[in-house]
Amino acid sequence: GAVVSQHPSRVICKSGTSVKIECRSLDFQATTMFWYRQFPKKSLMLMATSNEGSKATYEQGVEKDKFLINHASLTLSTLTVTSAQPEDSSFYICSASFLAGVLGTDTQYFGPGTRLTVL
Amino acid sequence: EDQVTQSPEALRLQEGESSSLNCSYTVSGLRGLFWYRQDPGKGPEFLFTLYSAGEEKEKERLKATLTKKESFLHITAPKPEDSATYLCAVQARSTGFQKLVFGTGTRLLVSP
């Protein structure tokens, strides 16, 4: 249980194009979804948190107009990198959570990640 | 400010050589401490959640323990397939309980 998928797994694009990454929770309804970015040999950097039907909350320093997040349903969130530039090349990972257990702790389950390369 | 520190940064073991990874944390109002495993080019895989000091959880060769200041991930008789980066993260009151604050991870390499 608690499976999260991401599509595509790898994308290569030219500078200036927009790229959309999908994140789906396959066997549960996610109250919250998160988007992370990871640089080589570094830990995960949270970009934004989104709840279904609400605007995403972005972390400090993350450009809202560059990284558009839509959380259309309890099982789907999308991240669109607009006018992608080489410095946007990175590994993007989503996670999804739901309130579980007596203590109601939100365990985050992660997708497999998307490798974005901007030429 | 919430902080999570993992040590060692990297660890090389021989197959069967047991060891422990450390995760020290400083947070305001711990809600949960999480251990994840991450393979190269993949997303983190959930291993354990620990809620309170004294709690222990086990899964195959892995055992996670929690005190008021740190958590340990014990690996008993590791195999080469246990090679991965192990990430520790906390949820705390100061970040609204939803966000995870991650450590930088311990890269484990188990040689046959």
Side-chain angles (χ1 to χ4, degrees):
Chain A
V3 179
V4 178
S5 71
Q6 265 183 259
H7 178 78
S9 58
R10 186 179 295 268
V11 58
I12 301 172
C13 67
K14 294 182 180 179
S15 293
T17 59
S18 292
V19 175
K20 181 184 281 189
I21 302 170
E22 287 190 353
C23 176
R24 293 180 185 271
S25 56
L26 298 185
D27 53 2
F28 66 99
Q29 292 189 320
T31 50
T32 309
M33 286 186 167
F34 304 82
W35 287 95
Y36 293 83
R37 186 172 179 176
Q38 188 174 34
F39 293 101
K41 296 192 177 180
K42 298 291 184 183
S43 195
L44 284 76
M45 183 190 81
L46 180 65
M47 299 174 65
T49 302
S50 74
N51 295 292
E52 184 258 346
S54 304
K55 286 186 179 180
T57 302
Y58 291 81
E59 294 299 299
Q60 195 170 8
V62 177
E63 298 177 60
K64 300 179 185 181
D65 297 331
K66 159 68 76 175
F67 300 102
L68 300 179
I69 291 171
N70 182 270
H71 194 156
S73 74
L74 284 173
T75 59
L76 173 64
S77 176
T78 59
L79 168 67
T80 302
V81 184
T82 62
S83 187
Q85 300 300 314
E87 56 266 30
D88 298 325
S89 297
S90 193
F91 191 51
Y92 292 88
I93 312 173
C94 73
S95 71
S97 71
F98 59 97
L99 281 175
V102 174
L103 296 178
T105 298
D106 303 352
T107 296
Q108 288 187 29
Y109 297 91
F110 287 83
T114 297
R115 173 75 57 193
L116 171 63
T117 303
V118 185
L119 303 175
Chain B
E1 184 183 334
D2 298 333
Q3 280 197 321
V4 179
T5 304
Q6 290 188 248
S7 62
E9 188 174 313
L11 181 62
R12 186 170 222 152
L13 298 173
Q14 289 294 122
E15 185 172 1
E17 180 186 0
S18 301
S19 188
S20 293
L21 313 182
N22 177 264
C23 171
S24 299
Y25 62 91
T26 306
V27 297
S28 174
L30 179 72
R31 190 184 200 191
L33 184 141
F34 300 80
W35 281 99
Y36 290 88
R37 168 195 170 125
Q38 186 175 26
D39 293 301
K42 302 274 183 71
E45 174 191 345
F46 171 70
L47 294 173
F48 304 109
T49 308
L50 300 167
Y51 298 105
S52 56
E55 189 174 0
E56 298 182 352
K57 286 194 177 172
E58 287 187 68
K59 179 181 179 181
E60 297 180 355
R61 295 177 292 281
L62 301 177
K63 179 180 177 180
T65 61
L66 181 66
T67 72
K68 287 186 178 179
K69 293 185 178 181
E70 56 192 356
S71 177
F72 293 94
L73 184 66
H74 307 277
I75 303 178
T76 302
K79 298 182 178 181
E81 53 261 43
D82 294 323
S83 298
T85 295
Y86 290 85
L87 297 168
C88 170
V90 297
Q91 273 181 345
R93 182 192 310 123
S94 55
T95 52
F97 292 125
Q98 280 192 316
K99 295 181 190 178
L100 288 176
V101 177
F102 278 93
T104 51
T106 294
R107 293 193 310 278
L108 174 65
L109 178 63
V110 182
S111 304

